[in-house]
Amino acid sequence: MTKTIEFYFDFGSPTAFLAYKRLIQLQGQYGAKIKFKPILLGGVFKETGNMSPIMIPLKGQYMGRFDLPRFAKRYGVDFNHNPNFPINTLYLMRGYIAASKMQKSTEYLEAVFNAMWIDQKNMGDIAIVKDTLIAAGINADELLSAANDADVKSELIEATEAAVKRGIFGAPTMFIGEEMYFGQDRLDFVEEELQ
């Protein structure tokens, strides 16, 4: 029986990037289905009182220098700290919803995550976002216009509120059924469940 992994993410999280890359590997290995669930991490933090690890200087330094590179090496994926971090991802997250409506979600995920956490692009700059989308074969003008639609804006707000109601306090968070897994460093447990 194929298992579904619900993946709550925000492009601004380097750990969500690593989780995304690892989940794609697990999908190929175990035939799992990934259901991508965009949320606005800032909204989650505001509602739950949580904060980014970067707000705790020693923890942020540790993660950037040791933890994230170790996991990138373990997963066999490229990773580079983005010097523009933190980046406001509101438009990027709305963009994912718009890309889904355009049947371009796979291309969008790969392009935006890679631009942020491999290519070190300033994805807070709309011109750079546009160039990134064009290079990925996505109609940038259509997508960026759709990302400003009221229904897209509402969908992201509602998705974020629903995530908090489900018990989510950060990203990445994964669910298999009702079992919750927080953080890319818990993906060993996700793999155990898939086995």
Side-chain angles (χ1 to χ4, degrees):
M1 180 176 153
T2 301
K3 293 190 176 178
T4 298
I5 304 165
E6 295 175 86
F7 175 49
Y8 290 81
F9 72 97
D10 184 313
F11 290 112
S13 166
T15 54
F17 165 78
L18 291 174
Y20 163 73
K21 291 293 188 179
R22 181 63 181 143
L23 287 171
I24 295 298
Q25 293 171 350
L26 294 176
Q27 179 183 40
Q29 189 174 348
Y30 297 101
K33 179 183 176 186
I34 304 171
K35 187 172 184 180
F36 294 95
K37 310 278 278 189
I39 56 173
L40 193 60
L41 194 50
V44 170
F45 287 164
K46 184 178 178 181
E47 289 298 314
T48 64
N50 196 6
M51 67 179 76
S52 169
I54 199 171
M55 300 303 290
I56 304 166
L58 290 176
K59 185 173 185 179
Q61 291 167 22
Y62 164 77
M63 288 184 69
R65 186 170 174 202
F66 298 109
D67 202 47
L68 298 174
R70 285 174 182 154
F71 277 101
K73 183 178 179 183
R74 173 181 281 180
Y75 301 152
V77 300
D78 292 328
F79 171 79
N80 294 302
H81 180 73
N82 192 316
N84 305 290
F85 179 81
I87 292 172
N88 184 335
T89 58
L90 177 63
Y91 281 98
L92 297 176
M93 300 313 298
R94 288 177 181 166
Y96 174 77
I97 294 170
S100 297
K101 294 178 187 300
M102 294 169 58
Q103 308 299 313
K104 290 286 185 178
S105 59
T106 301
E107 295 88 342
Y108 186 86
L109 279 165
E110 192 71 8
V112 174
F113 265 133
N114 288 348
M116 285 279 291
W117 300 111
I118 296 176
D119 302 328
Q120 302 173 297
K121 293 183 181 179
N122 181 1
M123 295 299 280
D125 182 329
I126 201 70
I128 293 173
V129 172
K130 190 172 183 178
D131 289 345
T132 299
L133 298 180
I134 291 167
I138 298 170
N139 185 325
D141 290 330
E142 180 184 350
L143 187 140
L144 294 172
S145 175
N148 281 313
D149 288 349
D151 63 326
V152 168
K153 293 177 180 180
S154 295
E155 190 171 332
L156 181 59
I157 291 168
E158 290 165 9
T160 302
E161 290 172 349
V164 171
K165 286 179 184 171
R166 195 170 187 191
I168 289 172
F169 51 86
T173 299
M174 288 73 58
F175 279 87
I176 299 177
E178 292 307 309
E179 287 289 315
M180 178 174 157
Y181 306 87
F182 170 71
Q184 64 81 28
D185 50 350
R186 306 302 192 278
L187 287 170
D188 289 348
F189 293 116
V190 171
E191 184 172 11
E192 282 179 14
E193 182 62 27
L194 295 177
Q195 291 171 342

